[in-house]
Amino acid sequence: MRRNSKKIRNKNLKRRRLLIIGGPTVAVLVVGSACAVWLGATASGIKSELEIATSMVPSLKSDLAANRPAEAAIAVEKLKSHTANARKLADNPIWTLASTLPGAGQNFSAVSEVARAADDVATLGLGPLVRVFSVLDWKSLLPGPDGSDLKPLKAAAPFVTSSSQAVRLSADRLDQIDDSKLIAQVAEPLIRARGELREVTGALSAAANASTLLPSMLGSDEPRNYLLIVQNNAETRASGGIPGALAVLNFDQGKLTLAAQSSAGEVGVMTPPVPTEASQQQIYSARLGKFMQDVNLTPDFPTAAASAKAMWERKTGQSVDGVVSVDPIALAYLLEATGPLELNKQGVSPSVNGLPTTLTSKNVVQTLLSDVYSKIEQPALQDKYFAGVAQEIFTSLSSGNAQAGPLFTAMGQSTAEGRLLVWSARTDEQSAITRYPLSGAVAGPSVAPAQFGVYFNDGTGAKMDYYVKRTVQLVRDCPQDGYEKISVRIVSTNTAPADAAKTLPSYVTGGGHFGVPPGTVQTNVIAYGPAQAHIESATLDGQKSPFAPYMHASRPVGVIAQLLAPGESKTVEFHFAKIVQHTEPNLVVTPTVQPVKDVVLPAQDASCRQG
């Protein structure tokens, strides 16, 4: 009995020990399971709130684009409520504690940063921006007989700048997260959020600079004069086309007037030449500093603009504050905003030559780049017609005929396609402009680390580029020795009629005066690679071809001269190697008569086979 009693006591002791040990363990397991369920539900809640907020962005953009400030303000408040909910969930003590766990904690921490960044963008970025937007009278910012009211824009500048800085700080925080150690469910949304924030950051930064610079550049403090260059894409130059019509744009308190008008031919030959960079002279010849028609043989618009300013001042004695460049396609976009243009003013007289008396966005390009040469034989009268059309368009613009939405759309599209370029002679202004593609620079903050450039310079001395159709494409080759290899493929076709030598005017074909048979097009095809890369080789129609290698702004440059008879197509490829930048490559191309979307093709990956 004593032995049985001892066994019973031992069993009870073991049972109590199990209860003592098992109780906390079970509790921990229960609590842990509950926390896991809670964390999962919280993660789902954060995801849902951010997805709802993201889904509201397109309608917000539409409201802003359509100038519906009241609707935009309501949309932002709704969006802010969802980002605030996501942030509140991510700031819960349990979620914060989970962020400290070894290994898995960095995923919780990353989600928190995304939620906070989204809320900061909505509250500190979009909120103030929409409030500013709601009080701006966009019509008052348009050019008109009495000028633009620039005071509201100046008043808005601090708020826009503050919004831009807040969003940039959020973007910087997300960029500091190491996504390589995150699970896919967290890393992928983080990467998307970074991309979206970069886009917003860039747009807000541009808006901040515009609100700060535009008032003074439009003459709010003192009158400003800008040399206007209309590039003619029928005779291609690296930044678009040969400078044709010239004029001086005057801005005084936002009021736009067109002052002196001239042409590149009237400027004459610069003796001695305007000083230009030696490395660019080596590539593009000393013509850069001798002729206004050739200042933009270089694709670097700041160089071309500085030379144009110097030439204009030497010829006329008039100092200008900067240079603005457009082409006929950009003028077509402007006509979408101003409406059709009646050419019935003195000095234009199109009906005498059989040209249309009304220019629209549909016929202005063909009229200026083709029909004018078949209807008007004398170059001086062609220049006069160009100048007259430019005067009429800018007179219509300055009269307040443009609609705000279409005008801003036209300017945005022209800028995106490289058809609107701006350079300021004032260092502080140019420093800000250089951050954006509007500057047309080949080096500096506006140039992506893996940017390629393809540019065209006419060698025919004629207006045959109206008939040349091109496509440009990046092709990713197989990596070698740990470096990426990328080729730039340029396909060019001369679509002129087979009997172009007889049916097209001599002024269009060149008449063989520069050693090129009439109807044939000679073009210098120029390719720029990223800094630190080099051109390995070049091919013409698949066969290895000699090319001229250069360097410009630490970027490798290759040049091939190409002849195209009517109906002929040729393919040039430049093969770049040693590309070390770990970013997506992008491509900048000379704006031609064609829509940019038809010229720049999607990048292609070469098929790599193991040897």
Side-chain angles (χ1 to χ4, degrees), residues 459-462 509-522 563:
T460 316
T509 65
H513 296 304
F514 295 94
V516 179
T520 295
V521 182
Q522 179 167 295
L563 281 171

Side-chain angles (χ1 to χ4, degrees), residues 380-456:
L381 293 179
Q382 295 166 359
D383 290 340
K384 186 176 181 181
Y385 181 79
F386 264 92
V389 170
Q391 180 177 9
E392 289 299 306
I393 291 177
F394 281 92
T395 298
S396 177
L397 187 64
S398 63
S399 299
N401 294 337
Q403 300 177 24
L407 178 59
F408 293 140
T409 298
M411 294 180 69
Q413 186 173 2
S414 298
T415 301
E417 296 179 5
R419 304 186 188 278
L420 172 61
L421 301 170
V422 175
W423 174 81
S424 174
R426 307 199 178 195
T427 305
D428 57 335
E429 294 174 352
Q430 181 59 23
S431 178
I433 294 171
T434 305
R435 302 173 194 169
Y436 307 103
L438 181 74
S439 68
V442 300
S446 67
V447 177
Q451 180 168 296
F452 292 80
V454 174
Y455 308 103
F456 307 106

Side-chain angles (χ1 to χ4, degrees), residues 329 333 412-420 589-591 594-597:
I329 295 86
Y333 298 155
Q413 186 173 2
S414 298
T415 301
E417 296 179 5
R419 304 186 188 278
L420 172 61
V589 177
T590 293
Q594 295 170 261
V596 172
K597 64 180 179 63

Side-chain angles (χ1 to χ4, degrees), residues 498-519:
D499 59 352
K502 297 179 180 179
T503 58
L504 293 180
S506 177
Y507 186 80
V508 173
T509 65
H513 296 304
F514 295 94
V516 179

Side-chain angles (χ1 to χ4, degrees), residues 1-10:
M1 289 180 65
R2 283 194 299 270
R3 283 197 301 270
N4 289 339
S5 177
K6 188 175 181 180
K7 287 179 181 179
I8 292 171
R9 283 197 304 272
N10 289 339

Side-chain angles (χ1 to χ4, degrees), residues 59-411:
S59 63
L60 174 60
K61 287 182 178 179
S62 298
D63 290 335
L64 292 172
N67 195 22
R68 296 190 292 261
E71 290 85 345
I74 293 172
V76 166
E77 289 304 314
K78 290 181 179 178
L79 190 149
K80 283 166 58 179
S81 69
H82 291 290
T83 59
N85 288 340
R87 184 172 195 154
K88 184 177 179 180
L89 288 170
D91 284 343
N92 185 280
I94 298 177
W95 187 276
T96 302
L97 181 63
S99 299
T100 65
L101 294 174
Q106 54 198 350
N107 292 285
F108 294 102
S109 178
V111 172
S112 296
E113 282 297 338
V114 171
R116 293 185 191 111
D119 193 43
D120 283 346
V121 169
T123 305
L124 303 176
L126 294 178
L129 198 63
V130 170
R131 284 196 294 274
V132 167
F133 182 86
S134 64
V135 300
L136 282 176
D137 181 1
W138 294 99
K139 290 184 179 179
S140 71
L141 296 176
L142 297 180
D146 299 322
S148 304
D149 184 5
L150 301 174
K151 293 178 182 177
L153 188 59
K154 291 182 73 172
F159 298 97
V160 180
T161 301
S162 176
S163 297
S164 174
Q165 290 174 344
V167 174
R168 185 174 296 280
L169 287 173
S170 297
D172 290 343
R173 289 206 310 269
L174 292 192
D175 284 340
Q176 291 173 6
I177 299 174
D178 184 1
D179 57 73
S180 65
K181 298 179 180 179
L182 303 178
I183 60 174
Q185 295 92 323
V186 174
E188 291 172 3
L190 171 64
I191 293 170
R192 284 198 304 271
R194 281 174 175 163
E196 291 165 359
L197 263 186
R198 286 191 198 101
E199 182 179 348
V200 173
T201 300
L204 279 177
S205 178
N209 281 315
S211 63
T212 302
L213 294 178
L214 272 180
S216 59
M217 291 187 71
L218 296 181
S220 65
D221 303 320
E222 59 181 342
R224 293 289 192 94
N225 292 312
Y226 299 94
L227 178 63
L228 172 68
I229 296 176
V230 182
Q231 297 194 48
N232 185 334
N233 312 83
E235 185 174 345
T236 190
R237 291 290 187 271
S239 65
I242 186 172
L246 305 176
V248 174
L249 297 175
N250 175 265
F251 289 94
D252 189 0
Q253 295 297 325
K255 185 177 181 179
L256 167 64
T257 56
L258 200 65
Q261 288 186 268
S262 183
S263 68
E266 290 179 356
V267 174
V269 182
M270 294 292 108
T271 306
V274 169
T276 51
E277 189 178 49
S279 64
Q280 295 190 66
Q281 282 193 42
Q282 187 182 18
I283 306 171
Y284 304 108
S285 82
R287 296 178 67 88
L288 287 174
K290 292 180 68 174
F291 304 97
M292 180 69 80
Q293 298 95 319
D294 293 325
V295 293
N296 58 340
L297 285 171
T298 172
D300 188 58
F301 186 69
T303 298
S307 297
K309 167 184 162 65
M311 291 181 183
W312 179 261
E313 292 176 356
R314 188 184 292 185
K315 172 68 177 180
T316 67
Q318 180 187 22
S319 178
V320 293
D321 298 293
V323 178
V324 177
S325 173
V326 296
D327 67 7
I329 295 86
L331 296 180
Y333 298 155
L334 282 179
L335 287 178
E336 290 280 359
T338 64
L341 195 67
E342 298 294 333
L343 298 181
N344 54 8
K345 299 292 180 69
Q346 183 179 2
V348 180
S349 305
S351 58
V352 176
N353 308 101
L355 293 169
T357 58
T358 301
L359 284 183
T360 69
S361 60
K362 305 299 182 185
N363 69 4
V364 66
V365 174
Q366 180 176 330
T367 299
L368 293 181
L369 298 184
S370 179
D371 294 348
V372 69
Y373 301 116
S374 60
K375 304 293 185 181
I376 304 177
E377 294 183 3
Q378 296 178 331
L381 293 179
Q382 295 166 359
D383 290 340
K384 186 176 181 181
Y385 181 79
F386 264 92
V389 170
Q391 180 177 9
E392 289 299 306
I393 291 177
F394 281 92
T395 298
S396 177
L397 187 64
S398 63
S399 299
N401 294 337
Q403 300 177 24
L407 178 59
F408 293 140
T409 298
M411 294 180 69

Side-chain angles (χ1 to χ4, degrees), residues 561-578:
Q562 175 182 266
L563 281 171
L564 288 175
E568 188 176 18
S569 292
K570 288 184 180 179
T571 300
V572 171
E573 290 194 27
F574 291 93
H575 307 284
F576 291 86
K578 300 289 185 182

